[in-house]
Amino acid sequence: MRAGRVTVRELKDPAEFAEASQVAKAAWAFPDLMVPPPPDMITATHSGGMTAGAFESGRLLGFVHAVPRTNLGRRAIHSHLLAVHPGAHRRGLSVLLKLFQRDWCLSRGIGLVTWTYDPFMLRNARLNLVRLGAVVPVFIPNFYGAIGGIYGELPSDRFEAHWRLKSPAVVRAASGEAKETPREEPDRLPVLRGGRVPPASRFLLPFPAGFPEVFRGRLPEGIAARRSFGRTVTRLFADGWEAVSVVERDGGPAYVLERR
């Protein structure tokens, strides 16, 4: 896959996997212990996973790494890591890498990709739900335990995104049509307040903006916000709701939830 001077392809040799490990370290500021070792990525790729990189003039700018997933009752992969070097941000590389991953999966009869992301990271929420057309039906508290890096001592709560590769929303997203919510809809949708679900087929669930920086110096407040949000979405997802988009409302971000 090519886009301008950038080529997206599968990684070929150990040196490229080693370079990917360094890109991950630069992107997420993780300690060495939390960066995937090249042998682990090589082994997972050899065993049916995939690792692809975005290259420009021979330099690796970003990569996506996935492993086979066998516990969902259908063919799927779990996209464990996507990282873009800080010097290559805002060039659309994350989308290019994910679209390459989608093509790779479809050519092998795989119809579902899952991955996790921090539900309070607005940039990732927009990428996953709006630009790529994924949905979120699962919340996992403190998934990785303490990971440091940009998270410091905050718990590593995660949303699990489900990218249903042949769904109409994903097909449109792959053609460049973002799953935009009509501009006027956020003002019309009810907002969940006090934990009480509004009597509607779609509603908004606000969440804090500016994460993780906003909580880095206020650890008790950050942990309390995580736990409160986690209790709410755990109950909502168990009741059959899923997050399908993210919008702005009353000066802050909110997930759009609807029935599965």
Side-chain angles (χ1 to χ4, degrees):
M1 177 185 292
R2 293 189 63 87
R5 296 182 301 171
V6 175
T7 299
V8 181
R9 61 167 174 78
E10 292 184 69
L11 302 194
K12 296 179 178 179
D13 58 51
E16 291 181 346
F17 283 92
E19 194 175 358
S21 188
Q22 293 306 307
V23 168
K25 186 173 181 179
W28 296 103
F30 287 154
D32 288 339
L33 183 64
M34 297 303 298
V35 175
D40 287 2
M41 290 193 286
I42 291 169
T43 299
T45 303
H46 175 73
S47 301
M50 63 88 65
T51 309
F55 293 85
E56 184 177 61
S57 302
R59 178 180 172 227
L60 182 67
L61 302 180
F63 74 99
V64 62
H65 171 64
V67 298
R69 182 158 188 178
T70 61
N71 61 350
L72 294 178
R74 57 183 295 188
R75 295 199 68 192
I77 64 170
H78 184 77
S79 193
H80 172 51
L81 189 64
L82 187 151
V84 174
H85 194 280
H89 283 176
R90 302 186 183 280
R91 296 183 56 183
L93 297 182
S94 294
V95 173
L96 284 176
L97 288 163
K98 294 301 289 185
L99 293 181
F100 180 92
Q101 186 179 66
R102 178 176 184 265
D103 290 344
W104 185 95
C105 289
L106 290 176
S107 70
R108 290 161 175 80
I110 299 169
L112 176 66
V113 181
T114 64
W115 64 87
T116 62
Y117 76 95
D118 192 310
F120 284 4
M121 294 193 81
L122 178 58
R123 179 182 64 196
N124 289 0
R126 284 175 171 155
L127 169 68
N128 296 333
L129 276 64
V130 178
R131 179 59 186 87
L132 296 176
V135 299
V136 175
V138 178
F139 171 77
I140 310 171
N142 202 25
F143 186 40
Y144 298 110
I147 57 177
I150 64 173
Y151 293 95
E153 298 178 58
L154 290 164
S156 55
D157 296 346
R158 291 293 182 268
F159 267 2
E160 183 177 275
H162 285 206
W163 205 25
R164 299 158 185 160
L165 300 184
K166 292 185 178 181
S167 73
V170 175
V171 171
R172 289 193 298 270
S175 69
E177 298 180 31
K179 188 172 61 178
E180 298 286 359
T181 299
R183 188 180 300 273
E184 69 281 359
E185 186 179 21
D187 294 331
R188 296 200 313 263
L189 290 176
V191 180
L192 185 144
R193 301 193 188 282
R196 186 171 300 174
V197 176
S201 60
R202 288 162 66 91
F203 63 88
L204 300 182
L205 175 63
F207 63 96
F211 185 86
E213 293 81 6
V214 71
F215 289 135
R216 199 166 286 151
R218 297 180 287 156
L219 184 60
E221 185 178 340
I223 292 175
R226 299 283 254 186
R227 288 177 176 169
S228 175
F229 182 85
R231 286 192 297 269
T232 298
V233 295
T234 296
R235 175 173 55 85
L236 292 171
F237 291 161
D239 287 344
W241 298 91
E242 63 184 11
V244 299
S245 189
V246 62
V247 298
E248 295 285 332
R249 170 75 179 266
D250 300 330
Y255 284 105
V256 179
L257 272 72
E258 67 177 33
R259 285 284 185 187
R260 284 198 288 276

